[in-house]
Amino acid sequence: MSDLLAIEPVSPHLLRSLREHVHERLRRAIVAGNFRNGERLNERHLADLLGVSTTPVKDAIRKLESEGLVRTEARRGVFVEFSARQALEMALGRAALESVMAHIAANRIGDAEIAEMARLIDEMAHATEHSALEDLVNLNEAYHGMIHRISGCAYLERRLDGQRMYDHAQRIALLGEPAERRQGYVEHKGIFEALAAHDPALAEQRMRSHIVRSAKSHVRQVFGADAEGLAYDE
């Protein structure tokens, strides 16, 4: 069984959202590579590690299965279903959608939105400089969310909903690395500059490159040599 020391016991003030908390902890552990692809999960052992009963663990596993991160085999148990290729395919799907949204946003963005995004970029610079991980993750998500809103592509945004859990966990894992924080900031600033210049083709290209590059970094971080040879250029 993988080392799950990164998963902290559930604290009393989180008991009201116990199921969601357990689900998030297990999901983050899978995406961070704490479990190997194909590894069997023992519900009782997970419950003991998390300091909970098996009921919220069972609930979490059902959600993880619906998200494609585990599979249940009759009379055999529950197995992790998260490989380098799956992680990259999820990111390619996101890149395809978000790059189109960035293209459209570059045509729609107004002066007030440019000013708001500029403030976000300044806050990201400060958080990057001071290694404020939690702030940086929140700012990162606010930044992408604002581009989604500006694009007005509600349908495309709904298509992204199914993998927000992966995007969030990936950000937490990647932004823990100083070099990745700096590179991410440079790329976010470049996307913003393309949006502010009303250059849709450049905004689209930079968004796609940013998502694919960061996804490859995360795949290498989690899977090591297994990430090599995944054929897609950003």
Side-chain angles (χ1 to χ4, degrees):
M1 178 63 66
S2 298
D3 179 10
L4 289 181
L5 293 179
I7 301 181
E8 302 167 1
V10 179
S11 55
H13 74 278
L14 289 169
L15 289 178
R16 285 179 300 176
S17 57
L18 184 59
R19 288 179 175 82
E20 290 79 5
H21 183 73
V22 170
H23 171 235
E24 172 62 22
R25 290 292 188 179
L26 292 177
R27 182 174 63 184
R28 189 180 301 179
I30 291 171
V31 174
N34 291 90
F35 296 105
R36 299 184 308 277
N37 184 42
E39 183 172 348
R40 186 176 182 276
L41 299 181
N42 183 293
E43 293 175 0
R44 170 52 62 189
H45 183 52
L46 292 174
D48 290 344
L49 284 170
L50 290 164
V52 299
S53 71
T54 57
T55 299
V57 173
K58 290 177 185 293
D59 290 340
I61 285 173
R62 280 194 290 271
K63 286 186 179 180
L64 292 169
E65 187 166 22
S66 72
E67 293 166 347
L69 293 177
V70 303
R71 71 180 187 277
T72 301
E73 297 184 10
R75 295 181 296 281
R76 291 196 64 213
V78 178
F79 299 86
V80 173
E81 187 89 348
F82 188 66
S83 65
R85 183 161 297 280
Q86 178 178 337
L88 186 63
E89 286 178 7
M90 291 170 72
L92 293 180
R94 177 188 166 207
L97 295 175
E98 285 211 58
S99 61
V100 169
M101 295 166 88
H103 182 116
I104 295 170
N107 286 322
R108 293 170 56 99
I109 195 168
D111 291 343
E113 292 158 329
I114 290 173
E116 186 178 347
M117 287 202 78
R119 285 193 293 272
L120 270 179
I121 289 293
D122 287 343
E123 291 177 23
M124 292 171 93
H126 183 270
T128 300
E129 182 180 352
H130 292 86
S131 302
L133 179 57
E134 184 175 353
D135 290 344
L136 200 51
V137 170
N138 291 335
L139 288 166
N140 197 308
E141 293 178 353
Y143 173 91
H144 284 271
M146 187 172 182
I147 294 173
H148 299 169
R149 288 197 310 277
I150 294 169
S151 77
C153 299
Y155 176 80
L156 296 185
E157 188 167 11
R158 287 196 298 274
R159 297 307 92 196
L160 288 169
D161 283 346
Q163 66 177 69
R164 287 192 194 281
M165 55 86 192
Y166 171 69
D167 300 338
H168 180 75
Q170 175 187 301
R171 287 180 178 118
I172 290 172
L174 275 181
L175 293 174
E177 300 291 332
E180 183 61 37
R181 288 196 293 270
R182 292 190 294 270
Q183 182 64 30
Y185 170 73
V186 169
E187 291 170 357
H188 284 125
K189 189 170 184 287
I191 295 166
F192 164 67
E193 289 169 349
L195 291 167
H198 301 283
D199 188 331
L202 186 59
E204 179 176 353
Q205 182 270 321
R206 286 181 174 176
M207 178 65 82
R208 182 172 55 252
S209 293
H210 163 62
I211 293 173
V212 173
R213 184 208 59 77
S214 60
K216 284 186 173 182
S217 293
H218 181 245
V219 167
R220 282 190 290 269
Q221 182 188 75
V222 172
F223 298 99
D226 291 342
E228 301 305 323
L230 294 172
Y232 189 87
D233 297 324
E234 58 267 38

